[in-house]
Each structure stands twice: as structure tokens, then as C-alpha cells.
Amino acid sequence: MKELPDYMKLCFLSWYNFVNETSYDILRDHNIDILPHQRKWRYLVEARWYNSRYQPTLEEYLGNTFVTVAGPIVALYAYIYTANPIKKEELEFIENFSDIIRLAYEIFRISDDYGTSAPEQARGDVPSSV
């Protein structure tokens, strides 16, 4: 975190606190530890690609799509904030999305790439699906 600019430190700490507070509330209210489920999806692959100047194949890029469109974490939070009671089996189901859900996230990623590819390429970001 030391290497982050100040504005990013604020974002990071806000997200970090949100994740931990949510985990605490669910553990207290439902006796289920959701922290491992929240940590499963990390956004580090694209950062590694960017820092190493790696050019992923389209298949590699779309394979990481599931995480980068925030689909899993949105589904997880939608479930934990609406379910009563929260069940471990259902948390595990959320982690193992079907192909139709995964493919929908790929469409979201490609749509987003289409709209943002010009400025990202101008900055030298990791290549997109475009």
C-alpha cells in the first residue's frame, strides 16, 4: 500500500474496511465466515500483465473476464444482503457459476472494451478484446 498514491490509499482502505465489516456482520448474524468467498476473486492478473508488458491471448483475456467485470463479487453481495438465512451450499453455488452466466460476463467485458479501448490503448494499458 505504501506505493499507492494518496487517493488510491483511501479507495483501498475503504474497500478493505467494507469487506471486513461485511464479513464480521455475516459471521455475527449467520455464523458463516464469508471472508474466504470474498477473497476468492482477485484482480491481480491484469495488473501482472500490465507490469510485465505481457500480451495475453484473447482466450486468456476472456478467461479472466469473469473477475474483471466484478460479476462474482456483485452476485455474492446480492446474495448475502438478500438471503435469510445465508447457507454455505448456496455460497458455494455462487462460486461455481454455470456457463451461461460466465458467457454473459464475457459479453459485458467485450462491450466495456469496445467503449473504452481507444483511451486505454492511448495510455498503453493491457490490450483489450478489441
Side-chain angles (χ1 to χ4, degrees):
M1 192 169 117
K2 291 177 186 177
E3 297 175 21
L4 294 175
D6 288 340
Y7 74 93
M8 290 287 289
K9 288 177 184 178
L10 180 62
C11 294
F12 175 81
L13 287 173
S14 296
W15 181 252
Y16 181 84
N17 289 336
F18 173 75
V19 166
N20 285 296
E21 287 171 15
T22 301
S23 298
Y24 171 77
D25 291 344
I26 299 300
L27 183 60
R28 180 192 64 215
D29 297 344
H30 299 273
N31 199 30
I32 293 178
D33 181 10
I34 65 161
L35 192 58
H37 300 280
Q38 294 183 87
R39 288 190 173 156
K40 181 176 181 180
W41 301 293
R42 300 188 183 218
Y43 298 85
L44 299 177
V45 173
E46 284 188 5
R48 286 188 195 116
W49 290 342
Y50 179 81
N51 287 324
S52 67
R53 301 284 184 224
Y54 178 71
Q55 302 269 345
T57 65
L58 181 60
E59 185 177 334
E60 288 173 317
Y61 180 79
L62 291 177
N64 191 49
T65 300
F66 194 55
V67 174
T68 60
V69 296
I73 201 72
V74 169
L76 177 65
Y77 280 109
Y79 172 71
I80 63 176
Y81 280 111
T82 58
N84 191 8
I86 295 172
K87 299 178 183 173
K88 270 190 173 176
E89 301 81 29
E90 292 172 358
L91 286 172
E92 291 169 4
F93 176 78
I94 290 171
E95 290 180 357
N96 299 309
F97 284 107
S98 66
D99 284 343
I100 191 73
I101 302 298
R102 184 185 50 77
L103 292 171
Y105 289 128
E106 285 184 13
I107 292 169
F108 296 151
R109 172 85 274 158
I110 291 169
S111 297
D112 179 71
D113 286 353
Y114 182 72
T116 61
S117 65
E120 288 174 348
Q121 288 176 352
R123 286 192 308 261
D125 283 355
V126 173
S128 69
S129 62
V130 176

